[in-house]
Amino acid sequence: MSRDSLLYTLIGLLVGFIAGFMLHESMASRQPAPSFVGMAEQIGAGAAPQSPAPRVGGANGPQDSMQQVQRLRQYVEENPGDLEALKVLANLNLSIRNLSRASELFERYVQQKGDDLEVLQAYGNLSYDQQAWPKAAELYEAFLEISPSDHGVRTDLGAVYRYLGRYEDALAEFERVLQARPDHWEARFNEVLVKTVDLRDYDGADRALKELRILRPGDPSVERLAAELERRRQGA
């Protein structure tokens, strides 16, 4: 089987699984549509697989879909060097909120291919959601080594540093973002938060808050932060 055939088969597996399993199990939860990492990259991949991928014959329901997922899992275990298949399986587990399994598979992937920006960000975001702060920092740092101008990831890294108690490092990341993008209100918001809550630098927080209000006039979350700043200042 060619590599293209393999990848289209894996994509077909995802479609069948989502149609069968998620419709059956997750309709009531009204989860947002799943987002899969790197599908465009996978379609354009090159070499031939080591052995035939699991064939998808059209899922008839959740049980059939689960059997197909099991076959994909078996294929990945038998072909540990097939990173595209590993990536698909990791994202499939992420999409159904099997987060511990997704983390395990992403970790296996980055151990073999540590320069995939999409996976570094997805795994970093997953680690953030799981409050695995050291791992999230490691992944975001690796991402920024390759793509230092991504202001969203840098802001997230600053937030992770805050949770790690590295407040000055957090502010340094927010400042890097704001030097490049003075209108990046999330970085400015986090700057105010760290100066207010963590460092008790109320004068510095007040100066940053003035800039934030220019960027987000009337924003309720900004006004709540302003109220918290004033409350803490009065209680100091």
Side-chain angles (χ1 to χ4, degrees), residues 18 20 32 45 51 59 67 81 90 146 206 216 226 229 233 235:
I18 296 301
S51 64
Q67 290 174 349
I146 303 168
D206 192 55
R216 303 289 290 183
L229 168 58
R233 193 205 307 271

Side-chain angles (χ1 to χ4, degrees), residues 152-169:
V153 172
R154 190 170 295 282
T155 301
D156 288 341
L157 177 60
V160 169
Y161 284 161
R162 181 196 174 220
Y163 287 118
L164 288 169
R166 297 169 55 180
Y167 305 127
E168 296 296 341
D169 288 337

Side-chain angles (χ1 to χ4, degrees), residues 126-144:
L126 173 57
S127 300
Y128 189 113
D129 292 342
Q130 293 178 311
Q131 300 183 17
W133 308 123
K135 175 54 71 172
E138 174 190 327
L139 293 161
Y140 288 151
E141 287 166 353
F143 181 104
L144 291 167

Side-chain angles (χ1 to χ4, degrees), residues 162-180:
R162 181 196 174 220
Y163 287 118
L164 288 169
R166 297 169 55 180
Y167 305 127
E168 296 296 341
D169 288 337
L171 288 178
E173 296 303 325
F174 301 145
E175 181 60 26
R176 289 188 182 97
V177 173
L178 291 165
Q179 286 178 351

Side-chain angles (χ1 to χ4, degrees), residues 72-80 101 104-105 108:
L72 175 57
R73 179 180 178 181
Q74 180 180 351
Y75 171 81
V76 167
E77 294 304 322
E78 292 173 352
N79 298 272
R101 178 62 172 159
E104 174 192 340
L105 293 166
R108 286 171 54 184

Side-chain angles (χ1 to χ4, degrees), residues 21-223:
F21 181 83
M22 291 196 73
L23 182 62
H24 179 77
E25 298 289 341
S26 304
M27 183 180 295
S29 67
R30 302 185 187 277
Q31 295 289 335
S35 176
F36 300 110
V37 174
M39 298 304 293
E41 174 188 326
Q42 292 168 16
I43 291 173
Q50 298 172 356
S51 64
R55 188 180 69 83
V56 179
N60 294 319
Q63 183 176 1
D64 191 26
S65 295
M66 289 302 296
Q67 290 174 349
Q68 293 173 354
V69 171
Q70 188 62 33
R71 289 160 61 194
L72 175 57
R73 179 180 178 181
Q74 180 180 351
Y75 171 81
V76 167
E77 294 304 322
E78 292 173 352
N79 298 272
D82 191 330
L83 298 184
E84 287 84 1
L86 179 59
K87 189 174 183 179
V88 169
L89 186 60
N91 279 293
L92 179 56
N93 279 272
L94 180 61
S95 75
I96 63 171
R97 310 304 293 168
N98 187 357
L99 302 184
S100 60
R101 178 62 172 159
S103 294
E104 174 192 340
L105 293 166
F106 278 135
E107 182 63 26
R108 286 171 54 184
Y109 184 93
V110 299
Q111 288 298 320
Q112 299 178 77
K113 184 172 174 57
D115 60 351
D116 187 318
L117 289 176
E118 290 176 309
V119 169
L120 287 172
Q121 185 172 11
Y123 187 17
N125 292 345
L126 173 57
S127 300
Y128 189 113
D129 292 342
Q130 293 178 311
Q131 300 183 17
W133 308 123
K135 175 54 71 172
E138 174 190 327
L139 293 161
Y140 288 151
E141 287 166 353
F143 181 104
L144 291 167
E145 284 289 323
I146 303 168
S147 182
S149 62
D150 191 302
H151 306 308
V153 172
R154 190 170 295 282
T155 301
D156 288 341
L157 177 60
V160 169
Y161 284 161
R162 181 196 174 220
Y163 287 118
L164 288 169
R166 297 169 55 180
Y167 305 127
E168 296 296 341
D169 288 337
L171 288 178
E173 296 303 325
F174 301 145
E175 181 60 26
R176 289 188 182 97
V177 173
L178 291 165
Q179 286 178 351
R181 282 277 309 279
D183 63 340
H184 198 287
W185 75 268
E186 294 93 343
R188 186 69 74 185
F189 186 101
N190 281 297
E191 178 191 5
V192 178
L193 183 65
V194 170
K195 289 181 176 179
T196 298
V197 175
D198 304 309
L199 297 179
R200 302 180 183 178
D201 175 10
Y202 302 130
D203 290 340
D206 192 55
R207 289 191 294 271
L209 177 63
K210 290 176 182 177
E211 297 294 329
L212 179 60
R213 277 175 158 160
I214 293 171
L215 296 174
R216 303 289 290 183
D219 187 320
S221 64
V222 172
E223 295 311 311

